[in-house]
Structure formats: structure tokens, C-alpha cells
């Protein structure tokens, strides 16, 4: 039989195809003149789009000069009973500051809504305070009918503010009045050192004003402000999430999406590391939710990530409104959400689904939280990596022992293949018989690898969403929750699928995985069965993958969290060391061979599956002989 050799032409072919693709994409890039022309055109389109979207977020009404008696009379004529609110000194666009040590709100007289929300302890990538609401990017409105056949929107009307204290809590009452003692009230209450705001909507004396036969519609809209260096990276973890019927659901991460759901407890407008959440402990009976992506490319001019909207109805009971809601404006942080266990806000964090999310939420998050309280953040990642690899070392050992057993019996497998090369069915039958006698299973080397997949995926989700890593530096990386940059390409130049920068941690991780695959592939080839006729040459494929996999990892992780690349770099180094220790100091091929020979002498009892497989193969062999 011809010996299969490493095909250098295959590698050259892969490299040549990749080089051609990169050359074609690079040469098809637009010229500088075309880029400038397109930018000018795009700016006009964006300006028109921004005007349209801002109108969608904050519906403007014609400005009214309240000193003009004629204009005031006309304005009052459109408001009916609520015209009284336009006669008060508060009928202006002034705002009231409402804050504690963590968050600062500004509440506008017009609409009684939050027009500014800033988190005091956080900065953006360019050192600007983190604003969740600012410059008209959000609106909150109640639309309702009146008994005199008018339809009014609270965002067009003027509320009267009253700031007070309830113990240590800040209380802001915003009243939309129809008289001195009849009104619609938004009541905000904020505790010290808390991100959660108690928000009550209630009316007094409006049972003859509000038309209870028509629904009161609550509309909440928000354009997510960009906070990260890469808007594409931020967008991966920016998503509308909601909880209904005890389970958490999400709108699409990419592109536009909409959904109408029932019995919703909370709605989260997540912006990667920060969230704006509206909570109804008694559930919204039904809500229409939408999410729309607002940016098109990675340019610095892109300021908004997604547009979120919610439309739901509030029930009027006895002609009056009385809803106890809650606002949350703060970090998407499991440590903070622990303070609100009854609301299940931690479910809005993208830990991953199923067993992956369980491991991330209950193992890695508390483990790293503890380690980072003891060690610097980068060192804590290394320590956690060591702990994980030590915990998985029995699995690595099992896998290596299985490979060693397969390597020891390979000569016998080769002998069977040569003996029955013209009878594939008999060859397979005798090979399985050898495995059974020797106490060896080809699958036993795969199972340990499968057991590591939940850990791999859980960590893949942990690092990009761990807010404790945000803006924490280590070595040359200034933010472990984002990619590191050791070289920035000239402006306008970008490598397709790679980016406009070079990250060093992914390079180190790719080098480590190359040597790891070099070791494991050599071991796998030593235990590999002889190639069967008509089957692909797995040896050549694995040799090519040694080079392709690190390159794929380099491209993929160049735009991911540097903390993740640091973990894989250290993890592969530790795995290589563990494998060398197992190979040179723990596993002895002679002892394994002696153990296999001893197993052959022992009578083997077939389990049901093995018996069934043997019978099926014998039947297939008999049918083949008859044919």
C-alpha cells in the first residue's frame, strides 16, 4: 500500500487562495475621493435620518408663547381640563436634579420624564461620563383619551415638580394638574447608594376626565448611546431582553426585530455593560417590543447602537390610574443585581444558555469576583486559568491515556487491516473484537474532550460580559473587557475579517494553540487507524489544520476581549505542561501494553449494545456472502 505523505501542495493551495482573496478585497477598496464623496452623501442621509428618528423619540409640538394671550387661549383649547397646567409657573422646560452618590437624573417639567441619566462612577472609552439618557435620545409618554373626546400625550404637557425627603430617600413628585387638588402624578423615589428608582403613576380626581373606556398607552423609547471603542463589538452584547412567564427572552442581536408578548415583568434595554430597565412587579398584560440597529459601520461618527421601543397599556380602575413601577439605570452587573433578587434582573445578563449559563453564573462569576478582590485583575485571570486547568487535569489525563492505549494496539489494528483489506465488514468486525478484548474504546478519547465544551463556552461568554474587567489594565492591554492594541493601521486601512489594528494577546494565544495542536496531532496520528479505501486522508487534513486553526483564531479573537485571549494563551501553555508531565513522568507505554495483554486473557462479557452491534455486523456479513 502506498504510504500517504504530507501534501505540501495542499498547504500552498490554501495559502494562495487566502492571499488572492485578501488581495482582491484590498484592491477593490474605494479610492479616497470615492470615500469622501460617499461620506458627504452619507452625512446628508444621516442628518435626515437623525431628524426623523429624533422626532420618533421625542415628538415635538409647536412652541407656544405663554405671554401671548391669543396663542395661550388656542393652546388651552387643545388641552381641555389640562389647560390649568399651562397657567402655572412650572409651564416651562426647566429640569429638577434628582440624585444620590451613584446616579444623577434630571427630570423635565415638560412630560415629567427623565431627560438625563448619568452614572457617576463610570466613564466611556474616551473618559466621558456614561450617559444612558441625554440630548433627547429617550422619551416616556402616556397617551390617553379624555371624556371630552381629546387625545393627549403627557410628553407635550407641563408637570409641577416638588422635591422632598422620605427619611433618607429622595422623593420627586411631578404633577400634571387639572386643578389645585386634581392631577396625574409621576412619583420618583430614590434610596441612597441605589440604582433602582421606585416609580408610581397615579391619578387623583380624574375619574371624570380620563376616558376609562379607552386604553392608556405607555410608550418608552430609547436610542442606545455608544460607550465603547468598537461599536460593532458593543453591538454584540447590546440587546432588548425581557422576562415573561418566568422565562427570559431576547429580540435579535443583529439587525431589526419586533415581538408582542404577554405578562411581561420587566423590559431591559441592555447596552453591553449598562442597562435601562422598566419593571412592573404586577406584569404588563401585553407589550409590543421593537429593536432596530442604527449604525452601519465602525466609523467614529456613529454615536448610537440600537433604537428600542416598548408600547403597552395601563389599566384604568374606577376612572383612576395607579401603577407601581420601577426604573433601573445602572451597570449590567450581577453583584448589583443581587440586591434585587425578587426581580430576577440578573437574568438579563447574557451568561449563556442551559448548562453553559449555569457554569458562568454560579461558578466563574463568583470565582473571579473573589480572585479579583485578592489579586490584580490580570493576575486574577491567570490564577483562575490555573484553577480551571487543574480541575480539568483528570479529564486531560483520561484523554491522554486513551490515546496511549490506541497507540499501543495500533500495530495489531494495522495487521488486521492488511489481513482483511478486501473484506471491510470482516475488518471492522475483527477490529471491534480486538478493542473489546483489550478493553480499549476509540470513543473514550473523545468523551473527555466533550466534557470540556461547557467550560470552554461558559468562559467564552464570561470575559466579554464581565463588567469587573471593564477598563482594567494588564501589561499592554488598557481594557481587559475589550481588545488590546499594539499597532493601529493607518486611517482608512483595514484587513477584511481582521480589523484596523493588531492585538498581541490573540497572537500569543494563536502561537500557544499551534504548539498544543502540534503535540496532540502527533499523538492522534500515532494512534490513527490505517486509511481505508475511499475515505479521506485524515492525517493530511490534521496536518493542514495545525496551521489553519491558529490563523482562524488570530482573525477571530483580534476583535474580542483581551481577557479572553489571555485566558486561552495561559490555558494552552498550562495544558502543554500537563501533557508533557503525563507523557514523561506518569504514563508508561510498556505498562499499558502489559495491561492490555492481561485484559485480553480475561473473559469479556458483552453488554447489550455490543451484542447488538456484533449481531448486526454478522448478519450484514452473511448477506454480503450470499450476494
Amino acid at each position: 500500500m502506498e504510504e500517504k505523505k504530507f501534501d505540501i501542495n495542499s498547504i500552498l493551495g490554501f495559502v494562495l487562495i487566502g492571499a488572492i482573496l485578501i488581495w482582491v478585497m484590498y484592491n477593490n477598496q474605494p479610492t479616497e475621493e470615492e470615500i469622501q464623496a460617499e461620506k458627504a452623501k452619507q452625512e446628508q442621509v444621516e442628518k435626515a435620518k437623525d431628524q426623523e428618528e429624533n422626532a420618533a423619540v421625542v415628538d415635538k409640538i409647536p412652541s407656544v408663547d405663554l405671554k401671548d394671550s391669543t396663542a395661550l387661549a388656542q393652546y388651552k383649547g387643545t388641552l381641555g381640563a389640562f389647560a390649568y397646567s399651562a397657567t402655572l409657573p412650572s409651564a416651562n422646560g426647566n429640569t429638577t436634579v434628582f440624585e444620590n452618590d451613584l446616579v444623577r437624573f434630571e427630570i423635565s417639567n415638560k412630560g415629567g420624564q427623565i431627560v438625563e441619566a448619568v452614572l457617576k462612577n463610570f466613564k466611556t472609552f474616551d473618559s466621558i461620563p456614561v450617559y444612558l439618557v441625554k440630548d433627547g435620545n429617550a422619551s416616556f409618554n402616556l397617551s390617553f383619551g379624555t371624556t371630552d373626546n381629546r387625545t393627549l400625550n403627557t410628553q407635550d404637557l407641563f408637570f409641577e415638580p416638588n422635591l422632598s425627603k422620605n427619611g433618607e430617600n429622595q422623593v420627586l413628585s411631578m404633577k400634571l394638574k387639572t386643578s389645585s387638588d386634581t392631577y396625574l402624578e409621576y412619583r420618583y423615589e430614590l434610596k441612597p447608594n441605589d440604582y433602582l428608582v421606585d416609580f408610581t403613576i397615579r391619578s387623583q380626581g380624574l375619574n371624570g376626565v380620563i376616558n376609562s373606556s379607552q386604553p392608556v398607552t405607555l410608550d418608552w423609547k430609547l436610542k442606545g448611546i455608544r460607550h465603547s471603542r468598537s461599536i460593532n463589538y458593543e453591538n454584540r452584547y447590546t440587546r432588548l431582553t425581557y422576562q415573561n412567564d418566568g422565562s427570559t427572552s431576547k429580540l435579535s442581536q443583529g439587525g431589526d426585530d419586533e415581538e408582542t408578548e404577554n405578562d411581561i415583568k420587566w423590559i431591559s434595554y441592555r447596552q453591553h455593560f449598562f442597562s435601562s430597565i422598566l419593571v412592573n412587579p404586577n406584569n404588563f398584560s401585553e407589550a409590543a417590543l421593537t429593536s432596530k440597529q442604527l449604525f452601519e459601520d465602525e466609523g467614529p461618527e456613529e454615536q448610537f447602537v440600537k433604537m428600542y421601543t416598548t408600547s403597552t397599556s395601563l389599566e384604568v380602575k374606577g376612572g383612576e390610574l395607579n401603577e407601581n413601577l420601577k426604573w433601573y439605570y445602572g451597570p449590567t452587573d450581577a453583584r448589583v443585581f443581587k440586591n434585587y433578587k425578587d426581580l430576577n434582573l440578573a437574568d438579563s445578563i447574557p451568561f449563556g444558555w442551559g448548562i453553559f449559563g449555569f457554569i458562568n453564573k454560579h461558578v466563574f462569576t463568583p470565582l473571579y469576583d473573589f480572585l479579583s478582590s485578592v489579586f490584580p485583575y490580570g493576575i486574577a485571570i491567570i490564577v483562575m486559568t490555573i484553577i480551571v486547568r487543574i480541575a480539568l487535569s483528570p479529564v486531560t489525563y483520561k484523554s491522554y491515556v486513551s490515546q496511549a492505549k490506541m497507540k499501543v494496539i495500533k500495530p495489531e489494528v494495522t495487521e488486521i487491516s492488511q489481513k482483511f483489506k478486501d473484506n471491510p465488514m470482516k475488518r471492522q468486525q475483527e477490529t471491534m473484537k480486538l478493542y473489546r478484548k483489550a478493553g480499549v474504546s476509540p470513543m473514550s478519547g473523545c468523551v473527555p474532550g466533550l466534557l470540556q465544551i461547557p467550560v470552554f463556552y461558559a468562559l467564552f461568554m464570561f470575559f466579554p460580559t464581565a463588567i469587573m474587567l471593564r477598563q482594567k489594565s494588564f501589561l499592554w492591554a488598557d481594557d481587559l473587557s475589550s481588545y488590546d492594541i499594539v499597532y493601529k493601521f493607518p486611517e482608512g486601512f483595514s484587513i477584511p475579517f481582521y480589523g484596523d489594528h493588531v492585538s498581541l494577546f490573540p497572537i500569543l494565544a494563536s502561537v500557544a494553540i499551534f504548539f498544543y495542536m502540534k503535540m496532540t496531532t502527533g499523538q492522534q496520528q500515532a494512534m490513527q487507524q490505517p486509511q481505508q479505501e475511499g475515505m479521506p486522508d485524515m492525517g493530511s487534513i490534521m496536518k493542514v489544520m495545525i496551521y489553519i486553526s491558529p490563523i482562524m483564531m488570530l482573525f477571530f479573537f483580534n476583535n474580542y476581549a483581551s481577557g479572553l485571549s489571555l485566558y486561552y494563551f495561559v490555558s494552552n501553555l498550562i495544558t502543554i505542561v500537563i501533557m508533557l508531565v503525563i507523557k514523561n513522568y506518569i504514563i508508561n507505554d510498556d505498562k499499558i501494553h502489559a495491561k492490555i495483554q492481561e485484559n485480553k486473557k480475561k473473559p469479556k462479557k458483552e453488554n447489550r449494545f455490543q451484542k447488538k452491534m456484533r449481531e448486526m455486523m454478522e448478519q450484514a456479513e452473511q448477506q454480503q456472502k450470499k450476494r
Side-chain angles (χ1 to χ4, degrees):
M1 180 181 289
E2 182 183 357
E3 183 182 357
K4 297 291 180 180
K5 295 184 178 180
F6 178 52
D7 186 6
I8 190 65
N9 292 325
S10 298
I11 292 182
L12 290 175
F14 279 115
V15 173
L16 184 59
I17 290 171
I20 291 172
L21 286 173
I22 292 174
W23 182 84
V24 168
M25 284 185 273
Y26 175 73
N27 282 276
N28 280 291
Q29 290 185 116
T31 64
E32 187 63 30
E33 291 77 10
E34 290 173 331
I35 292 173
Q36 294 301 327
E38 183 62 27
K39 278 186 176 180
K41 181 180 177 182
Q42 188 64 25
E43 284 174 1
Q44 292 179 350
V45 174
E46 288 296 323
K47 186 176 180 180
K49 189 171 79 171
D50 284 344
Q51 290 174 350
E52 179 183 345
E53 287 173 350
N54 283 329
V57 176
V58 182
D59 297 327
K60 301 292 184 181
I61 61 168
S63 59
V64 177
D65 183 2
L66 299 180
K67 296 180 180 179
D68 185 333
S69 58
T70 304
L72 180 59
Q74 291 176 348
Y75 180 63
K76 289 179 179 179
T78 65
L79 302 182
F82 288 93
Y84 178 81
S85 63
T87 66
L88 301 176
S90 57
N92 53 53
N94 292 348
T95 60
T96 303
V97 175
F98 182 62
E99 63 183 331
N100 60 18
D101 291 337
L102 301 179
V103 61
R104 179 182 184 274
F105 298 101
E106 285 192 23
I107 316 294
S108 176
N109 292 358
K110 187 175 182 181
Q113 61 183 314
I114 297 172
V115 293
E116 190 170 289
V118 59
L119 306 182
K120 295 184 176 182
N121 297 331
F122 295 92
K123 304 286 186 182
T124 64
F125 71 100
D126 50 358
S127 301
I128 297 173
V130 170
Y131 286 88
L132 299 182
V133 179
K134 188 182 182 185
D135 296 335
N137 75 306
S139 75
F140 180 84
N141 178 58
L142 295 186
S143 177
F144 57 91
T146 64
T147 52
D148 55 356
N149 297 322
R150 304 172 193 274
T151 299
L152 300 178
N153 294 291
T154 56
Q155 66 183 12
D156 299 337
L157 307 177
F158 295 102
F159 288 66
E160 184 179 66
N162 181 36
L163 188 62
S164 62
K165 286 267 194 176
N166 180 16
E168 294 185 347
N169 300 349
Q170 290 268 353
V171 176
L172 177 61
S173 172
M174 303 293 294
K175 292 181 179 179
L176 174 59
K177 293 186 172 182
T178 57
S179 69
S180 59
D181 57 357
T182 57
Y183 49 82
L184 173 66
E185 181 185 25
Y186 292 170
R187 185 179 187 275
Y188 301 86
E189 183 166 350
L190 179 64
K191 302 180 182 69
N193 296 309
D194 202 346
Y195 292 103
L196 197 69
V197 179
D198 290 329
F199 179 57
T200 302
I201 302 174
R202 73 181 190 94
S203 64
Q204 178 174 302
L206 300 186
N207 56 341
V209 177
I210 296 178
N211 187 347
S212 57
S213 65
Q214 297 178 5
V216 174
T217 302
L218 182 158
D219 290 306
W220 177 35
K221 303 175 184 179
L222 183 140
K223 290 164 61 177
I225 300 171
R226 177 180 184 172
H227 297 133
S228 298
R229 179 165 50 199
S230 169
I231 195 169
N232 273 306
Y233 184 68
E234 184 174 3
N235 184 55
R236 291 175 193 159
Y237 306 97
T238 296
R239 203 165 182 181
L240 191 154
T241 309
Y242 57 94
Q243 187 170 90
N244 67 321
D245 295 328
S247 63
T248 304
S249 303
K250 308 174 183 68
L251 295 191
S252 174
Q253 177 269 323
D256 304 341
D257 195 12
E258 60 183 42
E259 200 70 63
T260 299
E261 293 287 356
N262 300 319
D263 299 322
I264 296 179
K265 184 174 184 178
W266 51 255
I267 302 154
S268 171
Y269 293 172
R270 189 177 76 236
Q271 299 167 237
H272 198 180
F273 289 121
F274 305 99
S275 295
S276 306
I277 305 175
L278 178 60
V279 183
N280 186 348
N282 297 317
N283 294 358
F284 295 111
S285 59
E286 183 179 271
L289 312 169
T290 71
S291 174
K292 179 183 178 183
Q293 184 170 304
L294 297 180
F295 71 96
E296 295 181 358
D297 54 41
E298 189 62 60
E301 71 279 357
E302 301 286 1
Q303 297 301 314
F304 298 101
V305 185
K306 279 189 172 76
M307 171 75 171
Y308 298 125
T309 72
T310 296
S311 183
T312 186
S313 296
L314 303 180
E315 187 178 358
V316 179
K317 298 179 181 178
E320 301 285 2
L321 274 172
N322 191 6
E323 294 285 346
N324 295 309
L325 311 177
K326 297 178 186 294
W327 288 112
Y328 176 87
Y329 287 95
T332 311
D333 190 342
R335 297 168 298 181
V336 176
F337 288 155
K338 282 171 62 178
N339 300 323
Y340 321 117
K341 287 184 179 180
D342 56 323
L343 302 178
N344 300 321
L345 297 184
D347 292 344
S348 67
I349 301 175
F351 290 117
W353 57 273
I355 184 65
F356 311 115
F358 180 86
I359 294 172
N360 194 350
K361 183 177 181 179
H362 298 288
V363 178
F364 291 132
T365 298
L367 173 61
Y368 186 79
D369 191 24
F370 168 73
L371 292 175
S372 61
S373 67
V374 178
F375 303 101
Y377 289 90
I379 300 298
I381 292 177
I382 296 174
V383 173
M384 186 170 78
T385 307
I386 294 171
I387 292 172
V388 171
R389 294 318 307 172
I390 291 175
L392 292 176
S393 58
V395 176
T396 305
Y397 173 77
K398 274 279 189 185
S399 179
Y400 200 93
V401 168
S402 176
Q403 292 177 11
K405 287 181 179 179
M406 294 294 294
K407 176 184 174 183
V408 167
I409 65 169
K410 184 183 178 182
E412 297 178 61
V413 174
T414 303
E415 184 181 340
I416 291 172
S417 297
Q418 292 293 329
K419 184 177 180 180
F420 300 102
K421 61 182 178 180
D422 298 325
N423 189 342
M425 188 64 68
K426 186 67 174 177
R427 180 173 64 228
Q428 185 68 17
Q429 194 174 355
E430 290 299 317
T431 303
M432 295 302 293
K433 188 175 179 181
L434 172 64
Y435 288 155
R436 187 171 63 254
K437 283 184 176 181
V440 175
S441 171
M443 294 302 296
S444 61
C446 301
V447 172
L450 293 174
L451 293 175
Q452 298 184 63
I453 291 177
V455 175
F456 175 90
Y457 183 77
L459 286 164
F460 181 79
M461 294 299 295
F462 168 77
F463 284 101
T465 58
I467 192 171
M468 59 276 278
L469 292 174
R470 184 178 183 271
Q471 297 180 347
K472 299 301 188 295
S473 62
F474 179 65
L475 298 178
W476 56 84
D478 56 8
D479 186 349
L480 286 168
S481 71
S482 183
Y483 51 81
D484 62 292
I485 299 178
V486 293
Y487 179 73
K488 182 81 170 176
F489 293 135
E491 187 175 352
F493 177 80
S494 177
I495 298 177
F497 310 111
Y498 185 73
D500 60 356
H501 64 279
V502 176
S503 297
L504 184 53
F505 276 127
I507 294 175
L508 295 175
S510 298
V511 171
I513 200 172
F514 170 78
F515 286 105
Y516 168 75
M517 292 189 68
K518 195 83 171 172
M519 289 180 60
T520 56
T521 301
Q523 184 74 10
Q524 289 167 0
Q525 287 178 333
M527 58 172 266
Q528 185 182 341
Q529 295 186 32
Q531 182 188 354
Q532 299 181 16
E533 186 178 349
M535 297 298 289
D537 185 358
M538 295 305 296
S540 295
I541 292 175
M542 285 191 290
K543 286 179 180 178
V544 173
M545 289 305 296
I546 291 176
Y547 300 93
I548 292 180
S549 294
I551 293 174
M552 290 175 60
M553 183 174 186
L554 178 64
F555 274 69
F556 186 76
F557 283 94
N558 193 61
N559 293 294
Y560 264 80
S562 54
L564 181 64
S565 298
L566 171 62
Y567 167 80
Y568 286 131
F569 168 59
V570 177
S571 178
N572 283 311
L573 285 182
I574 294 172
T575 304
I576 289 171
V577 171
I578 290 174
M579 289 179 65
L580 289 172
V581 171
I582 292 173
K583 178 181 178 180
N584 296 316
Y585 299 101
I586 298 177
I587 289 182
N588 186 305
D589 287 353
D590 294 333
K591 288 183 178 180
I592 291 176
H593 185 268
K595 182 68 175 177
I596 288 175
Q597 298 306 318
E598 184 181 336
N599 288 340
K600 287 182 181 179
K601 298 175 183 178
K602 297 178 182 178
K604 295 291 180 182
K605 184 178 180 181
E606 292 180 317
N607 58 40
R608 289 184 180 180
F609 177 75
Q610 291 173 331
K611 183 179 180 181
K612 189 69 175 176
M613 287 295 295
R614 179 178 56 77
E615 291 173 350
M616 289 172 62
M617 293 178 71
E618 288 175 352
Q619 290 174 6
E621 185 180 7
Q622 291 173 3
Q623 291 175 0
Q624 188 179 24
K625 286 181 179 179
K626 289 179 182 179
R627 288 196 297 268

